[in-house]
Amino acid sequence: MQVAMRRDGRSKPRCPNCEVALNVVREGEIAIYDLPIADKAAVWITLPAIQGRCPKCYELSTPRPPEVHPTRNATWRLMRAVATWASVCPASAVAIIFEISEATVRRYERDVLEADLPEPDFDNLEILLIDEKSVRKGHGYVTVVLNGLTGELLHMAEGKKKESLESFFAKLTDAQKASIRAVCIDRNGAYRSVLREELPKAEVVHDRFHIIANLNAALNEVRRSEWRAARAEGKKAIKGSRFLLTAGRENLDDDGLTRLLELTAINANISTAYILKEEFRHIYAVATSPRSGAMRLRRWCSLVEASGIAPLCRFARGILRDLPAITAFFKHRITSGRIESFNNQIARVIHRACGMTNLKHLFLKMRAQSLKQI
């Protein structure tokens, strides 16, 4: 379907900068793609294109109606409809619905998001959540920064080195940096060095879930070592027991508890490692302050050293090294649960899009997603 439009001769085209009537230089016609009507998927609007020179600023311009994108030959309502579909469907499906190419779907969505999304709010930041996320094969990572209180996506930059995080702090003023009181990260050394430089007064909090995951990895290393040293009957009991050892005791059913008791009864090192793991988890449940947490963790590390179990000893030395950041959890009680959930959303968006090559487009899609949840 084609709809022909003409200009009202009672008004002249005006300069988009200063609203002065333009001196007409050249006239032509353009075709604009619009929303489907009934069974007509392809709808074109033809309208006159008048190029004029502003007598005040001497610039050439071709004014368009505000309903038409300034550079794309499409109406904003069509582009917003495409963007709405693209937020929940693969680009290939949206392209079929509107009879356009997949590349055009992505361009329309990116343009709409750029036009409609507000700028990130850097004022009154108190808590930051920082993590890295793999977005493509071959160690393709991005650094993600969220507002820890609202979940708003503030920053996404390629890589997981210090430069990726420094580009975020380059956007903040000194006053905005001063309002940040705590930052939750994993034990990535590159991020810590940037935080020491940019936020010397903010406390770094090492997330408890990452710490427990590191402990479970050490416990599994003990299990593997004992399996290699065991005889045939012992191997059979140890094999397949990873979940029994790493899961919380409260999450096991009766059959699981029975198997766990049998396993710990026949292997002293696994039994000791499991008891130490449960004691470590208990510290997070009962410690009420950084001082109380530090005292309990130091005592726990002493028990680990006395056990002589090498993987746990390495883990305990790391705990003592990072003790201030680990015990800061007992003051701020913040975790990376929100950002880990957000990383899962990134993975789903990338999977639905069959991969994302444009990082800016991914940032805009995920920022829109984060703002919906506030």
Side-chain angles (χ1 to χ4, degrees), residues 12-243:
K12 290 185 176 182
R14 296 187 172 273
C15 175
N17 300 320
C18 54
E19 293 296 322
V20 174
L22 297 175
N23 296 324
V24 177
V25 175
R26 186 168 53 182
E27 295 188 39
E29 191 176 71
I30 57 174
I32 302 299
Y33 194 30
D34 196 18
L35 277 173
I37 297 177
D39 62 337
K40 309 300 182 184
V43 176
W44 295 91
I45 299 176
T46 60
L47 64 156
I50 301 177
Q51 186 182 62
R53 186 180 297 276
C54 177
K56 184 176 180 180
C57 58
Y58 302 104
E59 291 187 1
L60 280 172
S61 60
T62 306
R64 292 185 172 195
E67 295 83 2
V68 177
H69 189 274
T71 58
R72 310 281 186 205
N73 287 339
T75 59
W76 277 110
R77 61 187 180 185
L78 168 68
M79 296 173 64
R80 288 193 170 94
V82 170
T84 300
W85 277 95
S87 67
V88 294
C89 296
S92 57
V94 182
I96 293 172
I97 293 171
F98 290 93
E99 295 190 1
I100 54 180
S101 69
E102 293 182 37
T104 301
V105 171
R106 296 188 181 95
R107 282 195 294 268
Y108 284 1
E109 183 185 26
R110 188 168 63 247
D111 289 344
V112 168
L113 291 173
E114 284 182 339
D116 293 353
L117 287 178
E119 290 295 317
D121 184 9
F122 297 138
D123 293 326
N124 303 315
L125 290 176
E126 295 183 32
I127 306 294
L128 294 181
L129 306 179
I130 303 174
D131 200 6
E132 71 272 0
K133 171 63 181 171
S134 174
V135 294
R136 65 178 71 93
K137 292 182 179 179
H139 301 287
Y141 289 90
V142 294
T143 293
V144 179
V145 181
L146 295 186
N147 184 327
L149 298 181
T150 65
E152 178 186 1
L153 176 60
L154 303 174
H155 177 73
M156 181 184 288
E158 191 161 7
K160 57 176 183 177
K161 297 185 178 179
K162 60 185 300 185
E163 295 80 7
S164 305
L165 188 55
E166 286 174 339
S167 60
F168 167 68
F169 288 111
K171 304 174 187 176
L172 304 185
T173 65
D174 291 340
Q176 289 168 336
K177 293 179 185 178
S179 67
I180 300 171
R181 54 185 174 85
V183 183
C184 184
I185 60 172
D186 59 16
R187 293 194 281 179
N188 186 321
Y191 292 162
R192 281 187 292 178
S193 64
V194 175
L195 295 174
R196 280 196 297 268
E197 296 172 7
E198 300 288 349
L199 303 176
K201 295 184 179 180
E203 289 192 90
V204 174
V205 180
H206 284 335
D207 173 54
R208 67 171 178 175
F209 294 114
H210 282 97
I211 300 297
I212 296 294
N214 295 154
L215 176 57
N216 285 340
L219 179 58
N220 191 48
E221 191 176 339
V222 175
R223 183 187 68 86
R224 287 174 175 271
S225 176
E226 293 301 310
W227 180 86
R228 287 191 293 268
R231 296 187 177 183
E233 188 174 340
K235 286 181 185 291
K236 185 177 179 180
I238 297 172
K239 187 175 178 63
S241 61
R242 178 177 180 177
F243 176 77

Side-chain angles (χ1 to χ4, degrees), residues 18 36 73 90 167 184 253 298 307 310 326 367 369:
C18 54
N73 287 339
S167 60
C184 184
D253 57 17
R298 287 194 182 95
S307 73
I326 293 172
R367 179 159 166 71
Q369 190 97 345

Side-chain angles (χ1 to χ4, degrees), residues 275-287:
I275 292 170
L276 288 169
K277 187 266 293 187
E278 286 297 299
E279 177 64 23
F280 188 88
R281 291 179 66 241
H282 183 66
I283 292 173
Y284 276 98
V286 298

